[in-house]
């Protein structure tokens, strides 16, 4: 979506966005979901409002993800200023910060491939718990995968999946962890 001069926003599934007027700045509110922003407007900063924080950039490519009350901002190129709770973090390429109920957390270095994968029709996981992987897959898959064995969910995973082939995770869990798979109507899958 072209939202302002030299600024576009790419939306992930289940994303809600609101265009806002913010004085001299162009702005959107990310109500929920995930958006990738490309802005090349040096004269006018672009603002993404999410939860109780703001991400501000003039020349940057960045990703903002808003899940429930937590927000994750990742700078993929350029520089992004993140403001939350009276604190400020400046992100540069390959840096990420989280904010929410615990305040503005420490800036960390990330693998941009993992963050950008959704834009290329993929989900990429590096050293993630199966719980986290299944949560992400459930976000993108019709139906729902349900854990019946929580201990299994703490296992670590390194994997990539095409978004249009998300049931591959079911085969992975069945084969790699000897899990029992029970398929129910409506796309419900029980893993035990």
């Amino acid at each position: 979506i072209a939202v302002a001069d030299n600024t576009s926003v790419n939306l992930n599934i289940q994303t809600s966005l609101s265009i806002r007027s913010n004085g001299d700045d162009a702005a959107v509110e990310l109500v929920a979901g995930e958006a990738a922003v490309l802005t090349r407007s040096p004269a006018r900063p672009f603002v993404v409002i999410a939860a109780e924080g703001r991400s501000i950039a003039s020349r940057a490519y960045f990703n903002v993800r808003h899940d429930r009350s937590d927000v994750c901002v990742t700078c993929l190129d350029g520089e992004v200023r993140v403001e939350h709770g009276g604190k400020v973090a400046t992100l540069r390429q390959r840096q990420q910060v989280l904010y929410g109920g615990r305040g503005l957390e420490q800036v960390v270095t990330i693998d941009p491939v993992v963050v950008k994968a959704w834009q290329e029709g993929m989900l990429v996981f590096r050293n993630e718990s199966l719980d986290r992987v299944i949560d992400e897959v459930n976000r993108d898959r019709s139906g729902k995968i349900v854990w019946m064995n929580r201990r299994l969910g703490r296992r670590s995973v390194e994997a990539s999946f095409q978004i249009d082939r998300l049931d591959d995770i079911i085969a992975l869990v069945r084969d790699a962890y000897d899990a029992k798979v029970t398929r129910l109507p409506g796309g419900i899958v029980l893993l035990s």
Side-chain angles (χ1 to χ4, degrees), residues 40-65:
R40 299 284 182 230
S41 184
R44 188 171 175 189
F46 187 76
V47 179
V48 176
I49 301 161
E52 301 295 320
R54 298 169 17 118
S55 302
I56 305 159
S58 294
R59 288 184 174 271
Y61 174 36
F62 62 104
N63 196 83
V64 182
R65 181 167 176 153

Side-chain angles (χ1 to χ4, degrees), residues 47-56 73 80-90 97 99 104:
V47 179
V48 176
I49 301 161
E52 301 295 320
R54 298 169 17 118
S55 302
I56 305 159
V73 181
V80 180
R81 177 183 167 95
V82 180
E83 301 173 348
H84 177 265
K87 294 186 179 177
V88 175
T90 300
V97 70
Y99 67 80
L104 186 64

Side-chain angles (χ1 to χ4, degrees), residues 63-74:
N63 196 83
V64 182
R65 181 167 176 153
H66 182 190
D67 290 323
R68 297 174 200 91
S69 61
D70 293 327
V71 177
C72 178
V73 181
T74 306

Side-chain angles (χ1 to χ4, degrees), residues 6-186:
N6 299 315
T7 301
S8 62
V9 178
N10 188 10
L11 304 177
N12 201 344
I13 66 167
Q14 297 186 28
T15 297
S16 178
L17 190 71
S18 175
I19 308 294
R20 292 188 135 193
S21 176
N22 194 26
D24 292 334
D25 298 336
V28 296
E29 179 180 4
L30 181 62
V31 179
E34 185 170 24
V37 178
L38 176 61
T39 183
R40 299 284 182 230
S41 184
R44 188 171 175 189
F46 187 76
V47 179
V48 176
I49 301 161
E52 301 295 320
R54 298 169 17 118
S55 302
I56 305 159
S58 294
R59 288 184 174 271
Y61 174 36
F62 62 104
N63 196 83
V64 182
R65 181 167 176 153
H66 182 190
D67 290 323
R68 297 174 200 91
S69 61
D70 293 327
V71 177
C72 178
V73 181
T74 306
C75 181
L76 300 164
D77 189 34
E79 185 175 287
V80 180
R81 177 183 167 95
V82 180
E83 301 173 348
H84 177 265
K87 294 186 179 177
V88 175
T90 300
L91 304 179
R92 291 179 181 74
Q93 187 174 15
R94 299 177 59 104
Q95 291 185 324
Q96 182 178 82
V97 70
L98 301 171
Y99 67 80
R102 296 177 306 272
L104 186 64
E105 297 183 16
Q106 293 292 318
V107 173
V108 296
T109 301
I110 55 88
D111 178 356
V113 170
V114 174
V115 176
K116 295 188 309 185
W118 67 269
Q119 296 177 63
E120 297 163 8
M122 299 288 295
L123 293 179
V124 176
F125 302 98
R126 303 247 201 278
N127 199 27
E128 290 284 350
S129 71
L130 269 172
D131 276 338
R132 166 87 171 88
V133 171
I134 294 300
D135 284 347
E136 187 66 23
V137 167
N138 278 335
R139 181 174 184 255
D140 292 313
R141 180 185 174 274
S142 63
K144 185 169 178 121
I145 300 172
V146 180
W147 284 112
M148 304 306 289
N149 178 345
R150 279 293 180 206
R151 190 176 32 147
L152 187 60
R154 292 188 290 269
R155 303 284 299 265
S156 184
V157 173
E158 293 239 356
S160 298
F161 302 98
Q162 291 179 293
I163 290 175
D164 61 354
R165 294 180 44 114
L166 288 177
D167 278 357
D168 288 354
I169 183 70
I170 297 165
L172 170 81
V173 172
R174 181 194 64 223
D175 297 344
Y177 302 106
D178 199 29
K180 181 180 175 197
V181 175
T182 305
R183 293 181 185 272
L184 301 173

